[in-house]
Amino acid sequence: RPALLACAVALAAMLSACDSVGPALKDTAYALERSRAGLARKEIALADGTRIVYLEGGSGAPLVLVHGFGADKDNFTRVARYLTPHYRVIAPDLVGFGESSHRGDVDYHYAAQAQRLHGFTQALGLARFDLGGNSMGGGIAMSLAAQHPQEVASLWLLDCAGIAAAPPSELARLVTTTGANPLIVAKESDFPAFLNFVMSDPPYIPGSVMDAMARERMANQPLERQVFQQIARDSVDASIRGLQTPALIVWGDEDRALSVGTVPVLKTLLPNAQAIVMP
């Protein structure tokens, strides 16, 4: 019994150390990636007091990048180092995600988030900008372009959501038939499965870092479920039909969350769109 007790105490200490090491490793890795990309963390308060935290860096025409569901501003950090030599890159945490205000009392449909994002671009004094969006962020980007076409110079749509006429994806079939949602992280063991679902070739992430990332998602789970319920029944099809904004559509052909069959549908809605499907 004393030996077992000693082992239990030692194991508890190791686990406690992992709990503290994981977030520190994650923060260090993020800081390194931001430094390589020339991005700095900033924050601003909108007129209603909503807090927006964002990354900014580079020089040139402003390029605003909008992350997807369950993600945050750092999803763009690694690719940003190829963009900052040419653009002033601005990547915000959307309301409800990352370090920005997490509010359960606001509308999270695409049009509402687009209005909020427009308030952010106005606060930064951006009269005209290029706009990129991934997944849910793509739906928000398209909605903003439809609301303020004179301000959005171009759209970069990365496996974007919000198209009701798109063929159902594996995610849509899972949610509809089983009620299970692999994008929701309810426990630490859900996180590796989430990565495997949204990436065809996930990168190596140390277990302690993965656990730290999982716990952040777990803490935000109730709000994420609220957001998903709203966007799952929402679409931007009608608002973007015939939108003249030049658009570059980029899709991965193994995407399980959003069907690659969305590409031809988008091209019928956006007359000035080009598409690249990546194997």
Side-chain angles (χ1 to χ4, degrees):
R1 285 183 180 179
L4 287 173
L5 179 60
C7 288
V9 170
L11 180 59
M14 289 172 61
L15 291 173
S16 175
C18 287
D19 284 349
S20 61
V21 167
L25 280 177
K26 172 181 170 287
D27 291 346
T28 300
Y30 276 30
L32 178 61
E33 292 284 358
R34 292 175 186 178
S35 176
R36 292 181 68 186
L39 296 173
R41 178 192 176 281
K42 301 181 179 181
E43 59 180 271
I44 194 171
L46 302 185
D48 64 355
T50 298
R51 176 172 171 260
I52 303 290
V53 178
Y54 63 102
L55 299 175
E56 182 176 7
S59 58
L63 169 61
V64 179
L65 300 176
V66 191
H67 65 77
F69 177 82
D72 60 39
K73 58 190 177 300
D74 278 289
N75 276 51
F76 290 107
T77 303
R78 185 163 291 186
V79 75
R81 69 175 179 260
Y82 302 103
L83 300 172
T84 47
H86 312 285
Y87 297 94
R88 175 190 171 193
V89 173
I90 301 165
D93 280 332
L94 292 168
V95 173
F97 299 91
E99 297 181 88
S100 291
S101 295
H102 287 216
R103 298 184 58 181
D105 62 334
V106 299
D107 186 353
Y108 284 97
H109 289 90
Y110 292 115
Q113 279 284 53
Q115 290 171 4
R116 223 166 276 128
L117 182 62
H118 183 250
F120 169 70
T121 61
Q122 290 285 100
L124 293 185
L126 304 181
R128 189 165 172 81
F129 50 92
D130 298 292
L131 182 59
N134 167 235
S135 188
M136 176 187 73
I140 293 168
M142 289 186 288
S143 183
L144 194 157
Q147 293 173 21
H148 303 279
Q150 73 284 359
E151 296 180 26
V152 179
S154 72
L155 285 167
W156 182 26
L157 304 173
L158 300 153
D159 297 60
C160 61
I163 304 301
S169 64
E170 181 179 342
L171 172 65
R173 291 192 294 270
L174 272 172
V175 173
T176 301
T177 59
T178 71
N181 187 342
L183 303 189
I184 297 291
V185 177
K187 55 187 182 300
E188 289 178 355
S189 60
D190 288 342
F191 198 75
F194 157 74
L195 291 182
N196 285 323
F197 190 86
V198 297
M199 298 182 186
S200 64
D201 184 17
Y204 168 73
I205 301 175
S208 60
V209 174
M210 203 177 296
D211 287 347
M213 298 172 79
R215 287 192 289 270
E216 290 175 0
R217 294 290 309 281
M218 290 159 60
N220 202 38
Q221 179 200 163
L223 183 55
E224 288 189 10
R225 290 187 185 277
Q226 177 182 330
V227 173
F228 190 87
Q229 287 177 355
Q230 293 188 31
I231 63 173
R233 295 190 292 265
D234 197 13
S235 80
V236 300
D237 300 41
S239 64
I240 68 166
R241 184 172 284 108
L243 183 67
Q244 296 297 313
T245 307
L248 175 63
I249 303 163
V250 181
W251 223 276
D253 70 357
E254 296 182 12
D255 193 332
R256 300 165 68 189
L258 294 157
S259 170
V260 68
T262 309
V263 172
V265 177
L266 265 176
K267 291 190 73 176
T268 65
L269 294 170
L270 301 171
N272 291 326
Q274 303 176 50
I276 299 171
V277 175
M278 301 186 298

